[in-house]
Amino acid sequence: TIDIGDFPIRASLVYPPLQQTFENELLNYVTRNTRLQEVDANNADLKMTGEITGYSLSPQAVGQDAYATQTRLTITVRLKYTDHINSANDIDQTFSAYRDFSSDLMLTDVQDELCQQISEELVDLIFNATLGNW
């Protein structure tokens, strides 16, 4: 069994739908790729908890006019993974992923799609670091 806890947003910049997007992606990925049963209990064999610690924008490419032509959205997640069967598998690690988008676009227009893509990459990284050896 596995208990996947909440991943609250602790970043200085907050995009509220991100928490639900990330949590849903993580739960769905684990459900699709393992035979583990998700339970809300302290007696689960495995436990994943954490927080979204970073949500940031940064300019990447500068054009001739000295304005950014590309902007990078980076999301960082801190994960605490506890294996109650084999504590050697426990990890407390930070994962980060990003996507670049044209500065001609408004963040509000691409934010949902970028958050979905980044969440998928983060979940893949987390799965490989935790359950990839099953």
Side-chain angles (χ1 to χ4, degrees), residues 37-111:
Q37 296 296 313
E38 209 277 328
V39 296
D40 291 325
N42 290 331
N43 59 354
D45 299 322
L46 308 170
K47 185 169 182 70
M48 284 188 188
T49 57
E51 58 193 3
I52 298 169
T53 58
Y55 186 88
S56 62
L57 295 167
S58 58
Q60 291 305 303
V62 179
Q64 294 177 350
D65 56 4
Y67 289 104
T69 58
Q70 289 283 308
T71 303
R72 176 169 291 173
L73 173 61
T74 304
I75 298 174
T76 306
V77 174
R78 180 171 174 249
L79 171 81
K80 183 169 185 187
Y81 173 76
T82 307
D83 184 337
H84 295 289
I85 296 170
N86 183 359
S87 61
N89 293 331
D90 291 359
I91 65 170
D92 189 342
Q93 187 175 340
T94 299
F95 297 88
S96 188
Y98 64 87
R99 288 291 183 276
D100 293 340
F101 64 97
S102 171
S103 295
D104 293 341
L105 301 171
M106 294 292 295
L107 175 62
T108 53
D109 294 336
V110 296
Q111 195 164 217

